[in-house]
């Protein structure tokens, strides 16, 4: 295989771990403000015209933003198939709730303004609020459960057996991480609204954004303390070959309180992630206060990056720990696709990802400027 693939297996696994993180962070940053704006819709916009303005901030771009979710799911399927099998089957009901919300969102965009009746539009506004709040919350709950470990095990043929249910996901720590996610994305959505709107909408968004940023700071810090002292992290206790064949049962592991913080001592550069999270959140709070919308949005995105990256580097090299059999936990070294598959996928990503980035940049350049009542009146495609 080394004669065909110029990059060794260990490096490809690391590259795909980083690429997966980039894609998931891309989804959180790009589609995250869509979710946050949806959650804020009934609160920042009081009249029908104001609500149409808020909807039209994200209406033209939500489809492109959601591509990052599809890319992330595809990357998990192609690069880490065992992770795909365990997480997508074990978290099936939670993912179905998220998908229902994501399906209802464009329906709400399209149908809300079809009828002028106030009651009709108000009901769709509540649907759009649901479609922003619920995915933001459940995605955070999912991350919390990954840190806790999911109740799955593997048999000798690598068949997965999930021993939990939906309601067991709603533990206190997982709900806390859900609130971290919700407050983070509400802050991010409010930051975009202060940039893309004006007048009362921007003022209300600024107020809610400040509270959300402050809540995210406190909750993120509380989650860090809980991880340090309240939950067990997983530690590999046997020798593992980063260039070996994928077999999660070929290692031994144990659970140890505070183990998720061990990487920051082993790899000090990983401290960049939590530092970026706190710095981004604090600067976003400052940006809301001093009314600098561009600074607010950029630093809000930095905060989103830092929070999600913190979860990823804390888990390293684990992708999905098992709460009932630590030896079955999935790591980047034993749950990946083959050497050749990772190489082919890397080449494909190297070709398509720049195209997606260029297209996204072009779309946002075309859509630049504030959304106002006048701009909607001139646009026959406005929602």
């Amino acid at each position: 295989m080394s004669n065909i693939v110029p990059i060794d297996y260990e490096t490809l696994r690391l590259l795909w771990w980083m690429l997966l993180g980039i894609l998931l962070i891309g989804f959180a940053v790009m589609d995250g403000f869509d979710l946050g704006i949806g959650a804020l819709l009934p609160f920042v916009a009081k009249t029908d015209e104001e609500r149409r303005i808020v909807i039209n901030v994200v209406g033209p771009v939500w489809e492109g933003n959601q591509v990052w979710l599809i890319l992330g799911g595809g990357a998990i399927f192609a690069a880490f198939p065992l992770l795909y099998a365990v997480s997508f089957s074990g978290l099936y009901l939670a993912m179905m709730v998220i998908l229902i919300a994501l399906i209802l969102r464009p329906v709400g965009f399209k149908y809300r303004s079809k009828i002028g009746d106030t009651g009709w539009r108000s009901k769709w506004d509540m649907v759009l609020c649901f479609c922003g709040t619920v995915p933001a919350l459940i995605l955070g709950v999912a991350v919390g459960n990954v840190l806790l470990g999911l109740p799955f095990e593997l048999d000798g043929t690598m068949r997965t057996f999930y021993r939990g249910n939906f309601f067991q996901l709603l533990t206190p720590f997982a709900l806390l991480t859900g609130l971290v996610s919700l407050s983070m994305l509400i802050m991010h959505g409010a930051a975009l609204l202060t940039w893309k709107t004006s007048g009362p909408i921007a003022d209300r968004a600024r107020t809610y954004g400040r509270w959300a940023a402050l809540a995210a700071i406190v909750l993120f810090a509380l989650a860090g303390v809980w991880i340090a002292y309240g939950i067990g992290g997983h530690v590999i206790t046997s020798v593992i070959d980063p260039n070996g064949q994928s077999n999660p049962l070929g290692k031994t592991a144990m659970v140890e309180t505070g183990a998720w913080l061990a990487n920051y001592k082993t790899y000090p550069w990983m401290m960049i992630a939590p530092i970026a999270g706190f710095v981004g959140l604090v600067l976003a709070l400052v940006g809301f206060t001093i009314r600098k919308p561009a600074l607010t949005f950029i630093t809000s995105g930095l905060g989103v990056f830092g929070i999600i990256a913190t979860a990823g580097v804390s888990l390293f090299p684990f992708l999905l720990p098992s709460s009932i059999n630590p030896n079955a936990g999935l790591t980047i070294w034993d749950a990946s696709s083959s050497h050749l598959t990772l190489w082919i996928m890397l080449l494909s990503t190297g070709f398509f990802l720049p195209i997606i980035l260029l297209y996204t940049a072009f779309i946002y350049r075309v859509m630049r400027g504030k959304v106002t009542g006048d701009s909607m009146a001139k646009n026959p495609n406005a929602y």
Side-chain angles (χ1 to χ4, degrees):
M1 186 65 67
S2 59
N3 294 328
I4 302 174
V5 180
I7 303 177
D8 64 81
Y9 206 1
E10 177 183 4
T11 302
L12 278 173
R13 283 166 160 165
L14 280 170
L15 286 173
W16 269 104
W17 172 71
M18 289 188 287
L19 278 170
L20 179 58
I22 290 169
L23 294 174
L24 295 179
I25 290 170
F27 166 69
V29 171
M30 300 302 295
D31 201 41
F33 61 69
D34 294 345
L35 299 177
I37 288 174
L40 285 169
L41 176 62
F43 306 101
V44 297
K46 300 302 182 181
T47 67
D48 181 67
E49 182 179 64
E50 287 180 351
R51 292 187 176 183
R52 287 191 64 219
I53 289 172
V54 170
I55 290 170
N56 279 277
V57 169
V58 298
V61 296
W62 71 267
E63 288 177 287
N65 294 339
Q66 206 160 286
V67 166
W68 291 94
L69 176 62
I70 298 168
L71 289 173
I76 293 173
F77 173 78
F80 300 104
L82 270 176
L83 173 62
Y84 179 88
V86 175
S87 61
F88 277 57
S89 58
L91 300 175
Y92 183 81
L93 287 178
M95 291 191 173
M96 283 303 299
V97 173
I98 293 172
L99 287 176
I100 289 170
L102 294 180
I103 290 168
L104 280 174
R105 181 171 61 174
V107 176
F109 288 155
K110 294 289 186 180
Y111 276 38
R112 181 193 180 276
S113 297
K114 294 293 185 183
I115 298 176
D117 180 67
T118 302
W120 168 270
R121 294 190 173 188
S122 295
K123 289 182 178 66
W124 281 113
D125 290 339
M126 292 302 104
V127 169
L128 290 172
C129 180
F130 168 87
C131 294
T133 304
V134 171
L137 181 66
I138 292 182
L139 288 168
V141 168
V143 172
N145 276 279
V146 170
L147 288 163
L148 292 168
L150 290 182
F152 73 92
E153 54 189 346
L154 305 170
D155 68 7
T157 62
M158 294 296 107
R159 289 187 303 170
T160 64
F161 297 89
Y162 188 80
R163 307 299 187 188
N165 60 57
F166 175 79
F167 295 102
Q168 289 175 341
L169 300 175
L170 305 178
T171 63
F173 175 75
L175 290 173
L176 171 63
T177 57
L179 291 176
V180 172
S181 172
L182 181 60
S183 59
M184 171 186 78
L185 297 184
I186 286 177
M187 171 198 68
H188 198 41
L192 184 65
L193 284 177
T194 63
W195 198 1
K196 294 283 289 182
T197 65
S198 57
I201 299 174
D203 291 338
R204 296 185 197 112
R206 197 171 289 111
T207 300
Y208 284 108
R210 281 198 298 266
W211 283 109
L214 184 59
I217 293 168
V218 173
L219 293 170
F220 186 39
L222 180 58
V225 173
W226 201 325
I227 288 172
Y229 301 106
I231 68 171
H234 290 232
V235 180
I236 297 173
T237 56
S238 63
V239 176
I240 189 167
D241 182 8
N243 287 293
Q245 295 300 311
S246 291
N247 178 11
L249 298 179
K251 68 175 182 306
T252 59
M254 62 177 289
V255 178
E256 185 178 286
T257 301
W260 290 142
L261 302 183
N263 280 339
Y264 299 108
K265 182 177 180 180
T266 307
Y267 311 104
W269 62 267
M270 288 186 175
M271 283 298 297
I272 293 172
I275 290 171
F278 280 114
V279 169
L281 295 176
V282 171
L283 289 179
L285 178 59
V286 172
F288 282 120
T289 303
I290 64 175
R291 297 173 175 259
K292 297 290 185 182
L295 171 68
T296 306
F297 183 71
I298 292 169
T299 55
S300 172
L302 176 65
V304 173
F305 161 81
I307 290 173
I308 298 174
T310 297
V313 299
S314 297
L315 284 163
F316 180 84
F318 282 90
L319 295 167
L320 186 61
S322 169
S323 60
I324 58 177
N325 180 11
N327 296 341
L330 308 181
T331 74
I332 68 171
W333 311 126
D334 57 24
S336 74
S337 294
S338 69
H339 194 179
L340 181 59
T341 299
L342 294 182
W343 171 240
I344 293 173
M345 288 299 299
L346 184 65
L347 293 177
S348 300
T349 304
F351 177 78
F352 287 108
L353 188 57
I355 295 175
I356 293 171
L357 291 172
L358 288 172
Y359 173 76
T360 301
F362 171 75
I363 291 299
Y364 277 89
R365 177 171 174 77
V366 171
M367 299 292 178
R368 67 189 183 277
K370 293 186 181 292
V371 180
T372 64
D374 289 340
S375 69
M376 290 192 303
K378 295 176 183 176
N379 181 5
N381 298 312
Y383 291 114

